[in-house]
Amino acid sequence: MFFLMKRLYPQKQFPELVPRLKTWWGMFIIFSIAVFFDPIVSLISLAVLCFFSLKEFFSMMKTRKIDRQLFLWVYLSIPIQFYWIYTDWYGMFIIFIPIYVFLFMPLPRIFSKSTIGFLRSLGSIQWGLMLMVFGLSHLAYYQVASPEYGANLVLFLVLLTQVSDLIQYLVSKTFGKRKVIPTSNPLITWEGLFLSVIATTTIAYFLYPYLTPLTLTFGLISGVLISVTGFFGSLTVSVLKRDLLIGERPAAEIKSESYLSRIDSLTYTAPIFFHTIRYFFDFM
């Protein structure tokens, strides 16, 4: 589709699309390998993905020495979180970051007697943890929660999220006119959002019998759910980046360099799709 749009609109440039596609296909290949070989490959790969995503998020923050000391403890939560996944301890997996890590995080700042910027610093770090570690780590739990269907569900999720992002970007860039929320993400238009929902739901209809044990109704709902939640994920990460980097560099330069722009949708689609399936189906 990318090459088709280039032919139809040769005057348009798509600077963000190539790096985004490389990232998506890299993840897709990793999950495909995990399906046929060892799920440990995807577990380790996703832990690395969480680390680099969180690292880039932290690099956007205005930090002091006490914040950088806290980063070390935050990074240590990644292998611990993935250990709970490896041992299939769902209860600890679901509460470790939003309860134990969040309650522990203020202590180093309190004992250091540093109160300046306390709330903004902790709030930013907590948002980074929730999206880049807690949200993305759900991708690793699919195979543990459902050894029979988990890997295929991840392939289904990643592929639909990729399609939704691709359609949103291409349509909005080529002939999209009405921006959804220009103050958050000026690239996404209503035309791009609407067509991405239609395209994602259509592809979900053709893929769900081969990659999932879902019913027809839920197969179609999955397409809508993934497309819409991916849109919200993209908006949220975009707003966070703009707030953290305000006054630092031009927005276009930031967006073109950012690795987070390539996985932002997954921070929402991975946990929401996971918990929706877990609630309605017994195989998770």
Side-chain angles (χ1 to χ4, degrees):
M1 181 173 181
F2 171 59
F3 296 106
L4 176 61
M5 298 300 281
K6 287 289 287 183
R7 283 181 174 274
L8 293 176
Y9 300 91
Q11 73 281 7
K12 296 287 186 178
Q13 298 297 319
F14 305 94
E16 299 176 10
L17 191 59
V18 174
R20 181 181 283 260
L21 285 175
K22 288 181 179 178
T23 302
W24 281 114
W25 281 115
M27 287 190 291
F28 188 82
I29 290 171
I30 289 172
F31 295 132
S32 299
I33 292 173
V35 171
F36 297 106
F37 295 98
D38 193 341
I40 296 298
V41 173
S42 63
L43 194 72
I44 296 173
S45 301
L46 286 166
V48 173
L49 174 67
C50 289
F51 171 78
F52 281 108
S53 300
L54 188 63
K55 183 175 182 292
E56 179 173 326
F57 183 87
F58 286 162
S59 71
M60 297 181 180
M61 295 174 54
K62 296 179 180 179
T63 59
R64 295 174 299 160
K65 183 178 180 181
I66 183 61
D67 295 320
R68 291 189 289 272
Q69 292 173 350
L70 183 57
F71 289 169
L72 174 62
W73 296 104
V74 173
Y75 284 131
L76 288 176
S77 68
I78 296 176
I80 298 174
Q81 175 76 348
F82 276 81
Y83 176 75
W84 307 138
I85 297 173
Y86 177 73
T87 57
D88 194 14
W89 191 352
Y90 177 79
M92 186 58 75
F93 161 77
I94 210 66
I95 68 170
F96 173 65
I97 287 178
I99 295 183
Y100 292 112
V101 176
F102 277 24
L103 293 178
F104 169 79
M105 278 173 51
L107 301 183
R109 288 292 301 268
I110 292 172
F111 287 119
S112 70
K113 302 177 182 179
S114 174
T115 58
I116 299 176
F118 179 84
L119 184 59
R120 179 175 175 82
S121 173
L122 286 181
S124 300
I125 294 172
Q126 287 174 343
W127 261 107
L129 266 174
M130 281 300 295
L131 294 176
M132 309 310 159
V133 180
F134 183 72
L136 291 177
S137 67
H138 281 76
L139 289 169
Y141 209 100
Y142 281 85
Q143 288 177 270
V144 176
S146 178
E148 184 178 0
Y149 304 112
N152 284 343
L153 285 170
V154 173
L155 289 176
F156 181 74
L157 169 67
V158 170
L159 187 58
L160 290 185
T161 306
Q162 179 181 2
V163 167
S164 178
D165 273 5
L166 178 64
I167 300 297
Q168 274 187 32
Y169 178 79
L170 289 177
V171 173
S172 298
K173 189 75 173 178
T174 51
F175 57 84
K177 300 296 183 182
R178 295 170 293 179
K179 300 183 186 301
V180 181
I181 308 178
T183 55
S184 301
N185 192 329
L187 292 178
I188 301 178
T189 64
W190 283 108
E191 293 86 352
L193 176 60
F194 177 75
L195 289 179
S196 72
V197 172
I198 298 299
T200 307
T201 304
T202 302
I203 294 176
Y205 170 76
F206 289 105
L207 286 182
Y208 90 90
Y210 303 100
L211 292 179
T212 76
L214 304 176
T215 62
L216 170 60
T217 301
F218 203 84
L220 295 175
I221 291 174
S222 296
V224 177
L225 182 69
I226 290 172
S227 186
V228 172
T229 55
F231 163 72
F232 287 128
S234 178
L235 281 182
T236 301
V237 173
S238 180
V239 170
L240 286 172
K241 288 190 299 180
R242 289 173 186 275
D243 185 49
L244 292 174
L245 288 164
I246 187 167
E248 291 295 315
R249 288 183 293 163
E253 181 185 351
I254 294 165
K255 197 167 184 62
S256 64
E257 293 178 5
S258 177
Y259 180 76
L260 300 182
S261 299
R262 309 174 199 174
I263 50 89
D264 48 11
S265 301
L266 277 173
T267 61
Y268 268 53
T269 60
I272 292 176
F273 186 58
F274 176 89
H275 290 290
T276 304
I277 293 176
R278 188 177 177 87
Y279 181 83
F280 287 102
F281 295 92
D282 295 332
F283 60 81
M284 289 288 282

